Amino acid sequence: MRTNDTTRYGAIAFSEASAERQRATGSINWYGHQMADGDNSGERQELDGQTAALIRETDSLFVATVTPSGWPYVQHRGGPKGFVHVLDPSTIAFGDYSGNQQFVTLGNVDHDNRVALFFVDYPTRTRVKVFGRAEIIERTDDPEFIDRMLTTGDGLIRTRCERAFRIDVEALDRNCIKNIPVKYSAERMAESLTLAREPLNDQIAQLQRRNEELEAEIARLRAE
């Protein structure tokens, strides 16, 4: 271990090869103290409140695993907001919805349980990287847990799910917003449009009332 400032994220993510690149740009001054020999150095990190909130609100994430032959493999996982559960500050879980039946990610985890999760919140341009160790929970072993993974704050998720990922968090990093585009979901756009239209709706309602008053006045004058 290099210093007592070592972090578990630095121990896992940074190597001598990345340090050489950092030395060339000077960023070693920001990250060098986090490095360590051995990826078990430093204390395991926990999800803070802001990170946990982002994860609970996500509808999309990327899962990285490694094949038995050493190739990296990245898979997208998506669902309604709340499909990723923060069980506690050290544990994340989500259902394994039925897909194309290739089972590459599952097979990789069966061989090597180390995973990396990548979350992006486009409206706030926030991204979070999480290192962890995954366990596959089968419905036959814990049906109540699987059913829990099929619920959100809005109710039941209507999809097939025979297993779930439960991930023990090892380390995390919330890095810079640079180069993340601002994107909004249809739900957010509809909400923004509704708020933007409120003043116009009030004006329209006032004009409609005034128009009705004038029509009534015209009708009265004609009747005289």
Side-chain angles (χ1 to χ4, degrees):
M1 185 180 299
R2 288 173 173 78
T3 76
N4 56 10
D5 292 330
T6 294
T7 66
R8 182 64 67 91
Y9 176 82
I12 294 173
F14 301 145
S15 64
E16 286 301 327
S18 62
E20 284 300 315
R21 292 283 184 173
Q22 293 173 12
R23 292 186 187 98
T25 63
S27 63
I28 192 72
N29 295 318
W30 307 334
Y31 304 122
H33 68 280
Q34 298 184 40
M35 296 176 61
D37 296 322
D39 61 11
N40 288 322
S41 300
E43 295 294 326
R44 287 181 57 189
Q45 295 170 266
E46 294 187 343
L47 305 174
D48 56 47
Q50 183 178 355
T51 301
L54 183 152
I55 292 173
R56 288 191 178 101
E57 287 294 307
T58 194
D59 58 7
S60 177
L61 75 147
F62 296 91
V63 184
T65 55
V66 180
T67 69
S69 60
W71 283 94
Y73 183 79
V74 177
Q75 187 174 57
H76 172 264
R77 295 297 174 102
K81 287 184 179 180
F83 88 100
V84 182
H85 297 250
V86 178
L87 304 182
D88 57 55
S90 299
T91 316
I92 299 170
F94 55 89
D96 180 43
Y97 304 156
S98 179
N100 58 18
Q101 306 292 296
Q102 289 187 2
F103 301 120
V104 178
T105 295
L106 289 171
N108 290 345
V109 170
D110 288 339
H111 174 77
D112 185 334
N113 68 355
R114 293 175 298 175
V115 299
L117 309 181
F118 193 83
F119 300 88
V120 184
D121 181 59
Y122 289 100
T124 62
R125 302 176 69 203
T126 306
R127 55 184 172 183
V128 176
K129 295 177 289 187
V130 177
F131 285 114
R133 295 184 180 274
E135 178 185 7
I136 307 301
I137 309 297
E138 300 288 344
R139 176 176 287 279
T140 52
D141 296 326
D142 195 340
E144 292 184 1
F145 183 79
I146 302 305
D147 288 341
R148 180 181 176 186
M149 293 301 100
L150 289 176
T151 61
T152 69
D154 295 328
L156 181 67
I157 302 173
R158 299 192 179 280
T159 187
R160 286 187 58 191
C161 185
E162 296 302 321
R163 63 191 59 82
F165 287 81
R166 185 165 59 201
I167 298 161
D168 293 328
V169 175
E170 290 278 344
L172 61 103
D173 181 60
R174 272 204 317 266
N175 50 348
C176 71
I177 66 175
K178 188 176 181 181
N179 299 323
I180 300 178
V182 178
K183 297 181 179 181
Y184 295 98
S185 64
E187 179 183 356
R188 285 289 297 273
M189 288 297 294
E191 180 182 350
S192 297
L193 288 172
T194 298
L195 292 173
R197 287 169 176 164
E198 281 185 355
L200 292 176
N201 290 336
D202 291 340
Q203 292 179 21
I204 290 171
Q206 292 174 11
L207 290 172
Q208 287 175 334
R209 287 193 297 270
R210 181 55 179 161
N211 186 59
E212 291 171 356
E213 292 171 356
L214 291 172
E215 288 180 344
E217 180 67 15
I218 291 171
R220 184 186 66 78
L221 291 173
R222 286 175 175 173
E224 291 180 353

